[in-house]
Amino acid sequence: MYKVDLPVDNSADVAVERRRAAEAARQARIFNTRHRVMGLDLKALEQQVAENKEREEMAGQRERAFDMLRVTQDEVLMKQQQEEEERRAELNRDLIQYRAIRQRAEDTRDADLNVHLQGALGLSIPIPESELGPASMQVFQGEGIGNNDKRRAQMEQTERALRAQREQSEKLQKENKLKELLKGKELVQQDLRAVQLDALEEECKRAGRIALNNYNHAQAAECVEKERKERMRKEGKEMAEVWHMVTSDILTECPKAAERQVDGGPVGGPRVLTDRWRGMSPVQLSAIRRQREEQRLEGKRLREIERQREAAWDFQRMVQTREDDEEERKAMELKKEKRMEMDRYNEQLAREQREHQQFLSKTLYTNRPTAQYFTQFSSSSR
């Protein structure tokens, strides 16, 4: 067999090197503390920002293009409107010129009847009348006879109408002048009547003022008389009251004047009139003193009974307080015993906890991790 030099296939090595380079780039990007952002792709975000800016720029260019297109369309529309107006004006001028040249009144079929008879046309037919047929006749026999008489009659009729109008106008002017004169006289009469009415109104007002003054004077005199009578009545009433006070039992100090008998007889005894009472008699005073002494003794007896009741209540409260103190002392002792028992139980739990911690730290967890153990974390990008 012959030895053949075949090319070496190093595609596997190239693929490995490419993966290693990608891994190194990925680790450099992920483990870089200045550019690392958890959960974000900066390149993708920058690309999105650039795309948004490009999209906004394109939208702005589109809007500007639309604005320019609108302005151009407005200018074209205004130019078309101006051209349309100019075209209409030119058509109107052409129409007027066509009517002035092609549609004259002299060129109509009945121009010889309506215009020639009025002397507006001086045309003559160059063809002899013998060669013209019946359809070419322009003026018939019998037409225009008595035209001057008719015109003269019309002028006279017009003159008579104008004269009648002038006479009617003069008559109307005279009637208007007469109406104005009558209106002026009527206005003068109205003014005279108004002056007379004003004079009568002033006279009536003066008479009314005089009557009102008389009525006011009468009212004032009546008010003065009423005040005098009222003053005299008050003075008489006051004098009667003074005389009654002087002659009544109030100033005489009669002891019997303060007593009056009640309705029904002497069952209830006399009733005292407060406005006439001037004091009690010695018998009444002694009765009041005796009743007051009895009330004092009764109050003393009631106070002694109340004092004895209060003493009994104090003794009862003292006994109850002693019993409450004894119960509270027993409760405190029971609570103290429970707290001591709880302290002993907690101390036992603490001792068991310490023994368990010593077991964990000295017996169970004796294999401490070295620094090389922590280097295996965050060493790859996957």
Side-chain angles (χ1 to χ4, degrees), residues 108-125:
T108 57
R109 292 183 177 181
D110 53 354
D112 53 351
L113 300 177
N114 299 330
V115 182
H116 180 62
L117 296 177
Q118 299 176 3
L121 293 177
L123 302 176
S124 60
I125 301 174

Side-chain angles (χ1 to χ4, degrees), residues 83-307:
E83 292 178 355
E84 184 69 21
E85 292 177 358
E86 293 178 356
R87 192 180 300 107
R88 288 182 179 179
E90 186 177 358
L91 289 175
N92 290 331
R93 288 194 299 270
D94 294 342
L95 182 60
I96 294 172
Q97 185 177 3
Y98 176 78
R99 287 175 178 175
I101 296 174
R102 301 294 183 180
Q103 295 182 354
R104 297 184 305 171
E106 296 85 354
D107 298 336
T108 57
R109 292 183 177 181
D110 53 354
D112 53 351
L113 300 177
N114 299 330
V115 182
H116 180 62
L117 296 177
Q118 299 176 3
L121 293 177
L123 302 176
S124 60
I125 301 174
I127 304 173
E129 293 183 1
S130 60
E131 297 181 3
L132 296 175
S136 300
M137 296 179 67
Q138 299 294 327
V139 180
F140 297 92
Q141 186 178 2
E143 291 184 356
I145 299 175
N147 229 1
N148 295 330
D149 297 336
K150 290 181 180 179
R151 191 176 297 108
R152 191 179 300 109
Q154 289 178 357
M155 291 176 64
E156 291 177 357
Q157 185 179 0
T158 303
E159 186 177 356
R160 285 194 301 271
L162 290 175
R163 190 182 301 111
Q165 290 178 1
R166 185 167 56 253
E167 291 176 356
Q168 184 71 18
S169 177
E170 292 175 357
K171 184 178 179 181
L172 290 176
Q173 290 179 0
K174 290 180 180 179
E175 291 179 356
N176 291 333
K177 288 181 180 179
L178 182 60
K179 288 181 180 179
E180 290 178 358
L181 182 60
L182 293 175
K183 188 179 292 184
K185 291 181 179 181
E186 187 177 358
L187 291 175
V188 171
Q189 292 178 1
Q190 289 179 0
D191 292 339
L192 292 175
R193 193 180 297 109
V195 171
Q196 294 176 1
L197 291 175
D198 290 340
L200 291 174
E201 187 177 0
E202 288 293 332
E203 186 68 23
C204 291
K205 287 182 179 179
R206 186 169 65 255
R209 286 196 295 271
I210 293 172
L212 181 62
N213 290 331
N214 295 333
Y215 177 75
N216 291 335
H217 287 308
Q219 287 290 104
E222 185 178 357
C223 289
V224 171
E225 184 66 21
K226 285 183 179 180
E227 289 178 358
R228 186 182 65 79
K229 290 181 179 180
E230 183 68 21
R231 185 169 62 254
M232 292 180 64
R233 187 182 65 78
K234 288 183 178 180
E235 289 177 357
K237 187 176 181 179
E238 290 175 357
M239 291 297 296
E241 185 176 359
V242 171
W243 178 256
H244 176 71
M245 291 294 295
V246 171
T247 58
S248 63
D249 294 337
I250 295 177
L251 298 179
T252 58
E253 296 185 357
C254 180
K256 294 183 179 180
E259 298 179 357
R260 64 177 178 179
Q261 202 71 19
V262 297
D263 298 337
V267 178
R271 182 173 295 177
V272 177
L273 300 177
T274 57
D275 58 343
R276 302 178 186 179
W277 187 68
R278 289 292 179 272
M280 292 183 295
S281 63
V283 178
Q284 293 175 344
L285 292 174
S286 62
I288 290 174
R289 292 191 186 97
R290 186 174 57 257
Q291 187 176 4
R292 184 172 61 186
E293 183 66 20
E294 291 176 357
Q295 291 177 356
R296 187 182 65 78
L297 295 175
E298 181 67 19
K300 184 176 180 181
R301 186 179 64 81
L302 293 176
R303 285 194 298 275
E304 182 65 23
I305 293 173
E306 184 67 21
R307 188 183 62 78

